[in-house]
Amino acid sequence: MEKRLYIPVETKNREFDAKLLLACTAAESGYTVVLGYKKQLLKHLEELPPGIFFDKSLPLDKLQKFVYYKKLGHKLVAHDEEGLAPFSLEEYQRRRQYCNASLEHCEYMLAWGEWQADFIRAKAPLFQEKVVATGHPRVDLTRKELRGFYQEEVEQLLAQYGHFLLLNTNFSFGNHFYGEGGFVEALEAAGKIRDEVHRQFYLGIQHHQERLFEEFVSMIKALRERFPGMTIIVRPHPSENHEKWCEVLPEHEKVIVKHEGNVLPWLMAAQVVIHNSCTTGIEAYLLERPVIAYLPVRNEAFEGYLANPLSELALTREELLKTVARYLEKGLPPQPDSQKQALAKQHITGLDGALSSDRIVKLLDTVVISPGNSGRTAYQVYHRLKKMREKISIHRIFGMDANSQQDLAERHKKQKFPGVELDELLVSLAKLQTLSGRFADLHAISIAPNLFQITQGSRS
């Protein structure tokens, strides 16, 4: 039976390049791969031949969806896109609800590293063998042999902005696209808040991030005064309200709010990276860039396990300014730190040796595909009810009519996935071919808007 792999992408800037690398690796191994916007892929999934569906997470509340995939003949392999550095283990488990039931319907649950794998195994002891620490293709692109994938973008950024400081924000609870309290309400509408304790935890994150937002605004103004010759780039999280940053920051040609492209070339081009509990802090560390975690408001329950410890900490504004000045003066990458290296290896597989993409495809080759059937009703009903619930919630919160609801939701999706053209994919494929010396005989075509098929040779 033909080997087929379906790879959905939800947030373009975060996921697309890495999942293209995975798609190329699988196609090289003989898979017909369909890669693209998640909404578009799901729309066509019923029409597509049975294959492996590579989902972005595996929470228990998606159980009906997993059963639906199986009835179509697909096998499920999942990788928790947001599982590298959760706020806390308690919150992570409440949100994902890992257990024997959630892993029953998947072939493999892929973990970023042994830390996450051990946690999931403990929650699903009957299916421990399904949990495998493979690393993630996003890590592959931080490795020295593949960093050149972004060299052209790095040069363009330096030519456009000169020397700049990069501030990555992760305040979607405190500054959500849907407005004040929007993230908590959206979680509640989607049935992702388990109980009142869980709700209060998220409200705590919201208030914490609202304070951090104000502290970051003040800090950015201080950076502007202290380093007047430096450009300051503020890169908000894809689910944040980007316009709010533009409203509160000084109108100045050297203070720029921008969320464009993958974050890796921005990290590579920046003189110094500043964040708070953001995965980009981990990526900056892996790229050996000067990276500072600014922690003017402390609450360990809301700070995560990895991004801050892999960065240099600054607890006050003055401490931050001094640290930035030191990095700018020395112009050197941070020195290797054995404790940070050990921490990174505990959480992340694939920092050396085989690429995570190759580890994943090796596992996929052990999955046996069988024909499906047409038992689709349960998930279709579930999906319709979920969409209705989300719309009702948006109407209740914002008092919007149906057209306004749809417009808001579409603008949010557009911010997270602005679209991909075939030419863009082909340029990226050519870069991967040049850097890796692989993938020379791969062929890519567009099969629907934002949806592509990648195969060996000219198979269609």
Side-chain angles (χ1 to χ4, degrees):
M1 190 170 182
E2 182 185 17
K3 299 195 300 183
R4 300 186 69 91
L5 176 63
Y6 303 111
I7 307 178
V9 179
E10 188 171 88
T11 303
K12 178 188 176 184
N13 291 343
R14 178 180 68 181
E15 302 169 39
F16 190 81
D17 292 342
K19 289 184 174 177
L20 174 61
L21 172 60
L22 175 62
C24 291
T25 306
E28 181 185 52
S29 186
Y31 287 84
T32 294
V33 184
V34 177
L35 166 74
Y37 184 35
K38 182 177 181 179
K39 183 179 178 181
Q40 184 73 279
L41 179 54
L42 291 177
K43 187 168 128 183
H44 293 279
L45 195 59
E46 293 180 1
E47 311 158 12
L48 294 168
I52 300 171
F53 189 85
F54 193 88
D55 213 341
K56 69 174 283 290
S57 61
L58 196 68
L60 186 60
D61 57 15
K62 292 167 71 174
L63 184 60
Q64 289 174 293
K65 185 170 72 170
F66 304 155
V67 174
Y68 166 69
Y69 292 160
K70 289 182 73 172
K71 287 182 177 180
L72 292 177
H74 302 300
K75 295 295 180 74
L76 176 70
V77 173
H79 199 312
D80 195 338
E81 196 70 42
E82 298 167 357
L84 177 58
F87 287 119
S88 74
L89 288 177
E90 181 181 3
E91 182 275 335
Y92 183 52
Q93 176 59 12
R94 279 186 173 177
R95 180 160 42 99
R96 291 297 192 236
Q97 293 186 296
Y98 287 117
C99 60
N100 292 324
S102 61
L103 266 67
E104 179 182 358
H105 297 285
C106 78
E107 303 303 306
Y108 292 108
M109 176 66 206
L110 308 182
W112 286 84
E114 289 299 336
W115 180 86
Q116 184 197 18
D118 287 343
F119 176 79
I120 299 173
R121 290 174 188 138
K123 301 298 181 181
L126 296 181
F127 300 105
Q128 292 188 30
E129 74 284 354
K130 291 186 176 184
V131 185
V132 184
T134 59
H136 195 291
R138 283 166 59 187
V139 176
D140 292 342
L141 292 174
T142 69
R143 289 177 44 157
K144 290 181 179 179
E145 62 264 41
L146 289 178
R147 290 178 193 173
F149 182 81
Y150 294 111
Q151 187 56 41
E152 183 178 345
E153 288 93 328
V154 171
E155 292 172 359
Q156 290 173 350
L157 291 172
L158 290 172
Q160 183 173 359
Y161 299 111
H163 290 170
F164 65 88
L165 306 175
L166 178 65
L167 285 83
N168 295 298
T169 69
N170 186 30
F171 304 149
S172 52
F173 278 89
N175 176 41
H176 195 263
F177 184 90
Y178 286 161
E180 184 177 352
F183 201 177
V184 175
E185 294 287 357
L187 289 171
E188 192 169 39
K192 295 183 179 180
I193 294 182
R194 313 302 174 195
D195 49 39
E196 184 58 25
V197 173
H198 200 193
R199 176 180 168 81
Q200 290 302 318
F201 179 85
Y202 282 136
L203 287 174
I205 298 177
Q206 177 184 318
H207 298 323
H208 179 71
Q209 291 190 357
E210 287 170 349
R211 293 180 62 194
L212 281 173
F213 182 92
E214 298 300 327
E215 290 287 346
F216 263 63
V217 170
S218 298
M219 177 265 288
I220 292 166
K221 293 176 180 177
L223 284 172
R224 174 75 199 99
E225 294 178 5
R226 184 73 168 267
F227 306 105
M230 295 292 297
T231 298
I232 299 171
I233 306 289
V234 180
R235 183 185 171 96
H237 187 278
S239 289
E240 282 192 59
N241 181 348
H242 297 182
E243 293 180 2
K244 186 174 179 179
W245 282 107
C246 297
E247 292 169 2
V248 299
L249 290 175
E251 292 188 16
H252 195 282
E253 61 181 6
K254 286 190 172 291
V255 179
I256 300 167
V257 178
K258 195 90 168 178
H259 185 96
E260 184 178 273
N262 191 289
V263 74
L264 295 188
W266 292 88
L267 296 172
M268 294 165 69
Q271 295 292 105
V272 183
V273 177
I274 302 169
H275 73 97
N276 180 296
S277 306
C278 183
T279 304
T280 58
I282 303 170
E283 293 166 316
Y285 167 80
L286 297 178
L287 290 167
E288 303 169 284
R289 303 304 301 152
V291 54
I292 305 168
Y294 181 47
L295 309 174
V297 180
R298 299 303 306 270
N299 190 323
E300 292 185 4
F302 306 143
E303 292 179 2
Y305 284 93
L306 193 58
N308 296 340
L310 291 181
S311 308
E312 184 166 352
L313 305 185
L315 306 184
T316 66
R317 192 181 311 163
E318 191 54 41
E319 188 176 356
L320 173 81
L321 295 173
K322 288 181 180 178
T323 306
V324 170
R326 171 163 48 83
Y327 277 128
L328 293 178
E329 180 182 350
K330 292 185 176 181
L332 297 172
Q335 294 298 308
D337 183 311
S338 59
Q339 289 185 328
K340 290 181 179 179
Q341 290 171 340
L343 181 64
K345 286 190 174 183
Q346 180 187 6
H347 284 76
I348 306 171
T349 298
L351 297 179
D352 49 31
L355 294 175
S356 294
S357 301
D358 287 312
R359 298 170 196 250
I360 291 170
V361 171
K362 186 176 180 180
L363 273 181
L364 298 182
D365 284 339
T366 68
V367 177
V368 178
I369 303 298
S370 55
N373 59 51
S374 58
R376 302 162 182 166
T377 306
Y379 178 68
Q380 289 175 329
V381 171
Y382 158 77
H383 189 64
R384 284 198 297 266
L385 289 173
K386 180 180 176 184
K387 297 289 284 185
M388 288 174 59
R389 196 166 58 207
E390 289 173 350
K391 287 184 178 181
I392 290 170
S393 174
I394 293 173
H395 175 71
R396 186 181 72 246
I397 301 163
F398 302 106
M400 295 180 178
D401 59 27
N403 290 334
S404 297
Q405 294 169 28
Q406 186 174 5
D407 179 63
L408 182 67
E410 288 303 316
R411 284 193 290 116
H412 187 211
K413 290 174 184 175
K414 188 78 171 176
Q415 180 169 286
K416 294 178 72 173
F417 197 100
V420 181
E421 298 292 337
L422 178 61
D423 287 348
E424 181 181 350
L425 184 150
L426 293 176
V427 168
S428 295
L429 173 58
K431 291 179 184 178
L432 290 174
Q433 290 169 333
T434 300
L435 283 169
S436 67
R438 300 166 58 177
F439 315 137
D441 62 343
L442 298 190
H443 179 70
I445 61 172
S446 175
I447 58 175
N450 297 311
L451 204 59
F452 310 95
Q453 180 172 284
I454 303 173
T455 57
Q456 279 186 320
S458 58
R459 289 187 294 124
S460 59

Short mmCIF file of all heavy atoms in Angstrom, two decimals, residues 42-79:
data_model
loop_
_atom_site.label_atom_id
_atom_site.label_comp_id
_atom_site.label_asym_id
_atom_site.label_seq_id
_atom_site.Cartn_x
_atom_site.Cartn_y
_atom_site.Cartn_z
N LEU A 42 -7.92 19.48 6.74
CA LEU A 42 -9.05 18.78 7.36
C LEU A 42 -10.27 18.78 6.44
O LEU A 42 -11.06 17.84 6.43
CB LEU A 42 -9.39 19.40 8.71
CG LEU A 42 -8.35 19.20 9.82
CD1 LEU A 42 -8.77 19.93 11.08
CD2 LEU A 42 -8.15 17.72 10.11
N LYS A 43 -10.42 19.85 5.69
CA LYS A 43 -11.55 19.95 4.77
C LYS A 43 -11.51 18.86 3.70
O LYS A 43 -12.55 18.38 3.24
CB LYS A 43 -11.50 21.34 4.10
CG LYS A 43 -12.69 21.68 3.23
CD LYS A 43 -12.63 23.16 2.91
CE LYS A 43 -12.73 23.40 1.44
NZ LYS A 43 -12.61 24.81 1.08
N HIS A 44 -10.29 18.45 3.34
CA HIS A 44 -10.13 17.45 2.27
C HIS A 44 -9.82 16.05 2.81
O HIS A 44 -9.70 15.12 2.01
CB HIS A 44 -9.01 17.88 1.32
CG HIS A 44 -9.33 19.10 0.52
ND1 HIS A 44 -10.11 19.07 -0.62
CD2 HIS A 44 -8.98 20.40 0.70
CE1 HIS A 44 -10.22 20.29 -1.12
NE2 HIS A 44 -9.55 21.12 -0.33
N LEU A 45 -9.70 15.90 4.11
CA LEU A 45 -9.19 14.65 4.67
C LEU A 45 -10.08 13.45 4.32
O LEU A 45 -9.57 12.35 4.08
CB LEU A 45 -9.05 14.77 6.19
CG LEU A 45 -8.21 13.69 6.88
CD1 LEU A 45 -6.80 13.67 6.32
CD2 LEU A 45 -8.18 13.90 8.38
N GLU A 46 -11.38 13.65 4.26
CA GLU A 46 -12.29 12.55 3.95
C GLU A 46 -12.07 12.01 2.55
O GLU A 46 -12.34 10.84 2.26
CB GLU A 46 -13.74 13.00 4.11
CG GLU A 46 -14.14 13.31 5.54
CD GLU A 46 -15.58 13.75 5.64
OE1 GLU A 46 -16.26 13.79 4.59
OE2 GLU A 46 -16.04 14.05 6.76
N GLU A 47 -11.57 12.86 1.65
CA GLU A 47 -11.38 12.46 0.26
C GLU A 47 -10.03 11.80 0.03
O GLU A 47 -9.81 11.17 -1.02
CB GLU A 47 -11.47 13.69 -0.66
CG GLU A 47 -12.68 14.57 -0.41
CD GLU A 47 -12.46 15.99 -0.92
OE1 GLU A 47 -11.48 16.21 -1.66
OE2 GLU A 47 -13.28 16.87 -0.58
N LEU A 48 -9.10 11.94 0.97
CA LEU A 48 -7.73 11.50 0.76
C LEU A 48 -7.55 10.04 1.17
O LEU A 48 -8.20 9.57 2.12
CB LEU A 48 -6.77 12.38 1.56
CG LEU A 48 -6.72 13.84 1.09
CD1 LEU A 48 -5.98 14.71 2.10
CD2 LEU A 48 -6.07 13.94 -0.29
N PRO A 49 -6.67 9.31 0.48
CA PRO A 49 -6.44 7.90 0.82
C PRO A 49 -5.89 7.75 2.24
O PRO A 49 -5.28 8.68 2.78
CB PRO A 49 -5.40 7.46 -0.22
CG PRO A 49 -5.50 8.45 -1.33
CD PRO A 49 -5.89 9.74 -0.69
N PRO A 50 -6.10 6.59 2.86
CA PRO A 50 -5.58 6.38 4.22
C PRO A 50 -4.08 6.61 4.31
O PRO A 50 -3.32 6.25 3.40
CB PRO A 50 -5.93 4.91 4.49
CG PRO A 50 -7.13 4.65 3.63
CD PRO A 50 -6.89 5.45 2.38
N GLY A 51 -3.67 7.23 5.40
CA GLY A 51 -2.26 7.51 5.62
C GLY A 51 -2.03 7.83 7.09
O GLY A 51 -2.89 7.58 7.94
N ILE A 52 -0.89 8.41 7.37
CA ILE A 52 -0.56 8.83 8.73
C ILE A 52 -0.88 10.31 8.88
O ILE A 52 -0.40 11.13 8.09
CB ILE A 52 0.93 8.58 9.04
CG1 ILE A 52 1.27 7.09 8.89
CG2 ILE A 52 1.28 9.07 10.44
CD1 ILE A 52 2.76 6.81 8.97
N PHE A 53 -1.69 10.64 9.86
CA PHE A 53 -2.01 12.04 10.15
C PHE A 53 -1.12 12.49 11.30
O PHE A 53 -1.16 11.92 12.39
CB PHE A 53 -3.49 12.21 10.50
CG PHE A 53 -3.91 13.65 10.60
CD1 PHE A 53 -4.28 14.35 9.46
CD2 PHE A 53 -3.92 14.31 11.82
CE1 PHE A 53 -4.67 15.69 9.53
CE2 PHE A 53 -4.30 15.65 11.90
CZ PHE A 53 -4.67 16.33 10.76
N PHE A 54 -0.33 13.53 11.06
CA PHE A 54 0.66 14.01 12.03
C PHE A 54 0.05 15.20 12.78
O PHE A 54 0.17 16.35 12.34
CB PHE A 54 1.93 14.42 11.28
CG PHE A 54 3.13 14.64 12.17
CD1 PHE A 54 3.96 13.59 12.50
CD2 PHE A 54 3.44 15.91 12.65
CE1 PHE A 54 5.07 13.79 13.30
CE2 PHE A 54 4.54 16.12 13.45
CZ PHE A 54 5.36 15.05 13.78
N ASP A 55 -0.60 14.93 13.90
CA ASP A 55 -1.32 15.99 14.61
C ASP A 55 -0.38 16.79 15.49
O ASP A 55 0.72 16.33 15.84
CB ASP A 55 -2.45 15.39 15.45
CG ASP A 55 -3.65 16.32 15.55
OD1 ASP A 55 -3.48 17.53 15.29
OD2 ASP A 55 -4.75 15.85 15.89
N LYS A 56 -0.83 18.00 15.89
CA LYS A 56 0.02 18.91 16.66
C LYS A 56 -0.09 18.72 18.16
O LYS A 56 0.69 19.29 18.91
CB LYS A 56 -0.32 20.37 16.32
CG LYS A 56 -1.68 20.83 16.82
CD LYS A 56 -1.91 22.30 16.57
CE LYS A 56 -1.17 23.18 17.56
NZ LYS A 56 -1.74 23.08 18.93
N SER A 57 -1.05 17.93 18.63
CA SER A 57 -1.18 17.68 20.06
C SER A 57 -2.10 16.49 20.27
O SER A 57 -2.71 15.99 19.32
CB SER A 57 -1.72 18.92 20.80
OG SER A 57 -3.01 19.25 20.32
N LEU A 58 -2.22 16.06 21.52
CA LEU A 58 -2.99 14.85 21.79
C LEU A 58 -3.79 14.98 23.09
O LEU A 58 -3.71 14.14 23.96
CB LEU A 58 -2.03 13.66 21.90
CG LEU A 58 -2.62 12.26 21.82
CD1 LEU A 58 -3.14 11.98 20.43
CD2 LEU A 58 -1.56 11.23 22.19
N PRO A 59 -4.58 16.04 23.22
CA PRO A 59 -5.39 16.18 24.44
C PRO A 59 -6.57 15.23 24.42
O PRO A 59 -7.07 14.84 23.35
CB PRO A 59 -5.85 17.64 24.40
CG PRO A 59 -5.87 17.97 22.95
CD PRO A 59 -4.75 17.19 22.32
N LEU A 60 -7.05 14.87 25.60
CA LEU A 60 -8.15 13.91 25.71
C LEU A 60 -9.42 14.43 25.05
O LEU A 60 -10.22 13.65 24.52
CB LEU A 60 -8.40 13.58 27.18
CG LEU A 60 -9.42 12.48 27.47
CD1 LEU A 60 -8.99 11.16 26.85
CD2 LEU A 60 -9.61 12.32 28.98
N ASP A 61 -9.63 15.76 25.06
CA ASP A 61 -10.87 16.27 24.50
C ASP A 61 -10.92 16.18 22.98
O ASP A 61 -11.92 16.54 22.36
CB ASP A 61 -11.14 17.71 24.97
CG ASP A 61 -10.02 18.68 24.63
OD1 ASP A 61 -9.16 18.33 23.79
OD2 ASP A 61 -10.00 19.78 25.20
N LYS A 62 -9.85 15.70 22.35
CA LYS A 62 -9.86 15.45 20.90
C LYS A 62 -10.10 13.97 20.58
O LYS A 62 -9.92 13.54 19.45
CB LYS A 62 -8.55 15.92 20.28
CG LYS A 62 -8.36 17.43 20.31
CD LYS A 62 -6.95 17.85 19.99
CE LYS A 62 -6.60 17.66 18.55
NZ LYS A 62 -5.26 18.22 18.22
N LEU A 63 -10.53 13.21 21.59
CA LEU A 63 -10.66 11.76 21.43
C LEU A 63 -11.61 11.41 20.29
O LEU A 63 -11.33 10.50 19.49
CB LEU A 63 -11.16 11.14 22.74
CG LEU A 63 -11.25 9.61 22.77
CD1 LEU A 63 -9.89 8.98 22.52
CD2 LEU A 63 -11.81 9.14 24.12
N GLN A 64 -12.73 12.12 20.18
CA GLN A 64 -13.68 11.83 19.11
C GLN A 64 -13.06 12.07 17.73
O GLN A 64 -13.37 11.36 16.77
CB GLN A 64 -14.94 12.69 19.28
CG GLN A 64 -15.80 12.26 20.46
CD GLN A 64 -16.95 13.23 20.66
OE1 GLN A 64 -16.75 14.38 21.02
NE2 GLN A 64 -18.16 12.77 20.44
N LYS A 65 -12.18 13.04 17.66
CA LYS A 65 -11.50 13.30 16.40
C LYS A 65 -10.55 12.15 16.05
O LYS A 65 -10.45 11.74 14.89
CB LYS A 65 -10.74 14.62 16.47
CG LYS A 65 -10.09 15.01 15.15
CD LYS A 65 -9.54 16.42 15.17
CE LYS A 65 -8.31 16.53 16.03
NZ LYS A 65 -7.66 17.85 15.86
N PHE A 66 -9.86 11.62 17.06
CA PHE A 66 -8.94 10.52 16.81
C PHE A 66 -9.71 9.30 16.27
O PHE A 66 -9.27 8.63 15.33
CB PHE A 66 -8.20 10.12 18.10
CG PHE A 66 -7.46 11.23 18.77
CD1 PHE A 66 -7.21 11.18 20.13
CD2 PHE A 66 -7.02 12.33 18.06
CE1 PHE A 66 -6.53 12.20 20.76
CE2 PHE A 66 -6.34 13.36 18.68
CZ PHE A 66 -6.09 13.29 20.04
N VAL A 67 -10.85 9.02 16.88
CA VAL A 67 -11.68 7.90 16.44
C VAL A 67 -12.15 8.12 15.00
O VAL A 67 -12.16 7.20 14.18
CB VAL A 67 -12.89 7.72 17.39
CG1 VAL A 67 -13.83 6.64 16.85
CG2 VAL A 67 -12.41 7.35 18.80
N TYR A 68 -12.50 9.35 14.70
CA TYR A 68 -12.93 9.71 13.34
C TYR A 68 -11.80 9.45 12.33
O TYR A 68 -12.03 8.86 11.26
CB TYR A 68 -13.34 11.18 13.35
CG TYR A 68 -13.49 11.84 12.00
CD1 TYR A 68 -14.53 11.48 11.14
CD2 TYR A 68 -12.63 12.85 11.60
CE1 TYR A 68 -14.70 12.11 9.92
CE2 TYR A 68 -12.78 13.48 10.38
CZ TYR A 68 -13.81 13.11 9.55
OH TYR A 68 -13.97 13.73 8.35
N TYR A 69 -10.58 9.87 12.65
CA TYR A 69 -9.46 9.61 11.76
C TYR A 69 -9.29 8.11 11.51
O TYR A 69 -9.04 7.67 10.38
CB TYR A 69 -8.16 10.15 12.37
CG TYR A 69 -8.07 11.65 12.48
CD1 TYR A 69 -7.16 12.23 13.36
CD2 TYR A 69 -8.85 12.49 11.70
CE1 TYR A 69 -7.05 13.62 13.47
CE2 TYR A 69 -8.75 13.87 11.80
CZ TYR A 69 -7.85 14.42 12.70
OH TYR A 69 -7.75 15.78 12.80
N LYS A 70 -9.41 7.33 12.56
CA LYS A 70 -9.23 5.88 12.43
C LYS A 70 -10.30 5.28 11.53
O LYS A 70 -10.04 4.37 10.74
CB LYS A 70 -9.26 5.22 13.82
CG LYS A 70 -8.02 5.53 14.66
CD LYS A 70 -8.07 4.82 16.00
CE LYS A 70 -7.81 3.34 15.85
NZ LYS A 70 -7.66 2.68 17.17
N LYS A 71 -11.54 5.77 11.65
CA LYS A 71 -12.62 5.25 10.81
C LYS A 71 -12.40 5.59 9.34
O LYS A 71 -12.86 4.88 8.45
CB LYS A 71 -13.96 5.80 11.29
CG LYS A 71 -14.42 5.16 12.60
CD LYS A 71 -15.77 5.68 13.05
CE LYS A 71 -16.23 4.97 14.31
NZ LYS A 71 -17.55 5.45 14.78
N LEU A 72 -11.68 6.67 9.09
CA LEU A 72 -11.32 7.01 7.71
C LEU A 72 -10.16 6.16 7.20
O LEU A 72 -9.83 6.19 6.01
CB LEU A 72 -10.92 8.49 7.62
CG LEU A 72 -12.03 9.52 7.83
CD1 LEU A 72 -11.45 10.92 7.79
CD2 LEU A 72 -13.12 9.37 6.78
N GLY A 73 -9.54 5.41 8.11
CA GLY A 73 -8.41 4.57 7.73
C GLY A 73 -7.06 5.17 8.06
O GLY A 73 -6.02 4.57 7.79
N HIS A 74 -7.04 6.39 8.64
CA HIS A 74 -5.78 7.04 8.96
C HIS A 74 -5.23 6.54 10.29
O HIS A 74 -5.98 6.14 11.18
CB HIS A 74 -5.96 8.56 9.03
CG HIS A 74 -6.48 9.16 7.76
ND1 HIS A 74 -5.80 9.06 6.57
CD2 HIS A 74 -7.62 9.85 7.49
CE1 HIS A 74 -6.49 9.68 5.62
NE2 HIS A 74 -7.60 10.15 6.15
N LYS A 75 -3.92 6.57 10.42
CA LYS A 75 -3.25 6.30 11.68
C LYS A 75 -2.74 7.63 12.24
O LYS A 75 -2.28 8.49 11.48
CB LYS A 75 -2.09 5.33 11.48
CG LYS A 75 -2.54 3.93 11.03
CD LYS A 75 -3.36 3.24 12.09
CE LYS A 75 -3.82 1.85 11.65
NZ LYS A 75 -2.75 0.85 11.66
N LEU A 76 -2.83 7.78 13.53
CA LEU A 76 -2.48 9.04 14.17
C LEU A 76 -1.11 8.97 14.83
O LEU A 76 -0.82 8.06 15.62
CB LEU A 76 -3.54 9.40 15.22
CG LEU A 76 -3.25 10.65 16.05
CD1 LEU A 76 -3.39 11.91 15.19
CD2 LEU A 76 -4.20 10.74 17.25
N VAL A 77 -0.27 9.95 14.49
CA VAL A 77 0.98 10.20 15.21
C VAL A 77 0.93 11.65 15.64
O VAL A 77 0.57 12.53 14.85
CB VAL A 77 2.21 9.92 14.32
CG1 VAL A 77 3.49 10.35 15.05
CG2 VAL A 77 2.28 8.44 13.94
N ALA A 78 1.26 11.92 16.89
CA ALA A 78 1.13 13.29 17.41
C ALA A 78 2.44 13.78 17.99
O ALA A 78 3.28 13.00 18.45
CB ALA A 78 0.04 13.35 18.48
N HIS A 79 2.58 15.09 17.92
CA HIS A 79 3.73 15.77 18.52
C HIS A 79 3.20 17.04 19.15
O HIS A 79 2.62 17.87 18.46
CB HIS A 79 4.78 16.10 17.47
CG HIS A 79 6.14 16.39 18.03
ND1 HIS A 79 6.34 17.26 19.09
CD2 HIS A 79 7.36 15.91 17.70
CE1 HIS A 79 7.63 17.31 19.35
NE2 HIS A 79 8.27 16.51 18.54
#
